[in-house]
Each structure stands twice: as structure tokens, then as C-alpha cells.
Amino acid sequence: MDCLRAFLAKLQNWQRKVNAGNVAMFNNHSTVLDENEDHLLDPSLKTEITQHLKSLESKLKKYFPEFEEEDGKLVGNPFSGTLDIAIIPNDVQDEFLDLKNDSAAKDLYEERSLTVFWCSMYQSYPKVSEIVLRVLLPFSTTYLCESGFSTLLHIKSKSRNRLDVDPDMRCALSVTQPRISRLTERKQCQPSH
């Protein structure tokens, strides 16, 4: 969330700079303007860039809604004294209090990274860990999309550009392992004449 907030602040700063006629943050466009004799940004282009930056900002806010600061405290440091127990769902509060008073878990928290700590706590404290892991792992579904594009690029090349990739992609992206030996057992060899 810190990186996202920083990027949103940069977008707002860029909008302010573009409205003032400064496009130094866009290297290629700045170079073109420097080569131009009048060094002025076209008003219609200024409007278009500003609208694009506003659109990008609204899309980011839509896809990554701001979570409460208290949720961040639970994820960042469950052993903090300033963490309010009331923000945690009622059915998880007892488990959270067990975790908060577990000295072995606190030692593990200090030794390991945040994600490794919460993954290791999943067996002992599943309800609390599930809440935290949902915050820590919001992009798990993008892996499937990325692997799909990667597979498509591998299958469909310049020499195979007219290929219907749907069946091949389905096989390549399937998590089911083919049982080749079982399939071959069911087939009968061609008898000789």
C-alpha cells in the first residue's frame, strides 16, 4: 500500500506539472519539445495527458481500494500494543489473543520475513492467518494470466501464426497431469496382414 500511495501521489504531481506546461517526467516527449523551436506544449495535448493521468489514477483506486490503517497494523505487527482488538472479527478475536501472547510466535516474527511468518502461523492460527494472507496476497490470480500469456507466446510463433491455439493452450495450462501409460494401455496395436 505504501508503494501504491506513493505512485498515486506521483500521478497527482504529474497532473499538476502538465497543467503548468512541464513534461520533464516524460523523457521522450520532453526531448521532442526541446527540439521544437517554440518549446510550448499544445493545449489539446496537455488536456489529453491530464485526462489520461486522471483515468489511470481512478483505475488504480478502483482496483486497489484503500484498506483501513488498523488492518495494516494487524498485518505488519500483530504484537503491537496499539492494535485495537475491536477491529478484528468476533470469531477470530480469541485466536488472535492466543497468537499475541505466544512468545515463540513473537520470536519467529522477529526472525523471519512477514510473509514467511504468516505462512508458518497458518497451522497454529488459521483464522487470523487467513485474514492476513488475503491482504498480503492480493495478486495470486494474476499468476494464471501471466502464465497464459507466456504459454501463448511459446506456442504461437511467426511460423505458426495461423494456428488455432485454444486446444493447445487448454492442455498446456491444465493442472491435470496426463496418464499416458493408461491411455496407451487402452489402445490396440495395428495387426499385421
Side-chain angles (χ1 to χ4, degrees):
M1 287 307 292
D2 293 340
C3 292
L4 186 61
R5 284 188 201 111
F7 187 68
L8 287 171
K10 287 178 188 178
L11 285 175
Q12 292 168 353
N13 186 38
W14 293 347
Q15 289 174 33
R16 183 185 55 76
K17 285 183 175 182
V18 168
N19 285 331
N22 180 358
V23 289
M25 60 279 186
F26 305 121
N27 293 333
N28 291 341
H29 193 68
S30 182
T31 304
V32 169
L33 279 180
D34 289 344
E35 292 173 0
N36 195 353
E37 293 175 9
D38 56 0
H39 300 288
L40 294 176
L41 184 62
D42 184 26
S44 63
L45 185 59
K46 184 188 298 187
T47 305
E48 190 173 335
I49 292 172
T50 306
Q51 287 176 347
H52 181 72
L53 291 173
K54 285 180 182 177
S55 172
L56 184 59
E57 181 182 358
S58 68
K59 294 288 184 189
L60 283 171
K61 286 180 179 179
K62 176 185 172 192
Y63 286 112
F64 306 107
E66 189 80 24
F67 65 90
E68 298 296 321
E69 265 324 295
E70 294 296 325
D71 292 343
K73 287 181 184 177
L74 172 63
V75 172
N77 187 358
F79 304 102
S80 171
T82 62
L83 184 61
D84 185 16
I85 189 86
I87 62 130
I88 299 171
N90 290 331
D91 59 331
V92 183
Q93 288 179 355
D94 291 338
E95 187 176 290
F96 170 72
L97 290 172
D98 289 340
L99 169 68
K100 189 172 182 173
N101 294 302
D102 185 350
S103 59
K106 188 171 186 175
D107 292 340
L108 193 65
Y109 171 78
E110 292 171 358
E111 294 172 6
R112 303 225 173 129
S113 70
L114 203 56
T115 52
V116 172
F117 167 75
W118 282 111
C119 287
S120 63
M121 289 293 108
Y122 190 76
Q123 293 294 329
S124 305
Y125 306 102
K127 292 178 183 176
V128 177
S129 296
E130 187 175 330
I131 291 172
V132 171
L133 289 174
R134 283 189 189 150
V135 174
L136 286 176
L137 303 172
F139 309 112
S140 60
T141 57
T142 61
Y143 165 76
L144 298 174
C145 184
E146 295 284 337
S147 63
F149 280 119
S150 184
T151 302
L152 177 65
L153 288 174
H154 182 70
I155 292 173
K156 200 165 188 172
S157 62
K158 283 186 179 180
S159 59
R160 299 171 68 183
N161 64 354
R162 292 182 178 230
L163 179 69
D164 180 25
V165 294
D166 289 347
D168 295 333
M169 292 270 298
R170 189 171 294 119
C171 288
L173 294 173
S174 174
V175 293
T176 306
Q177 293 294 322
R179 294 176 288 196
I180 303 296
S181 58
R182 188 171 175 193
L183 291 171
T184 56
E185 286 173 1
R186 294 183 180 175
K187 297 294 179 187
Q188 182 179 356
C189 295
Q190 181 70 29
S192 61
H193 295 283

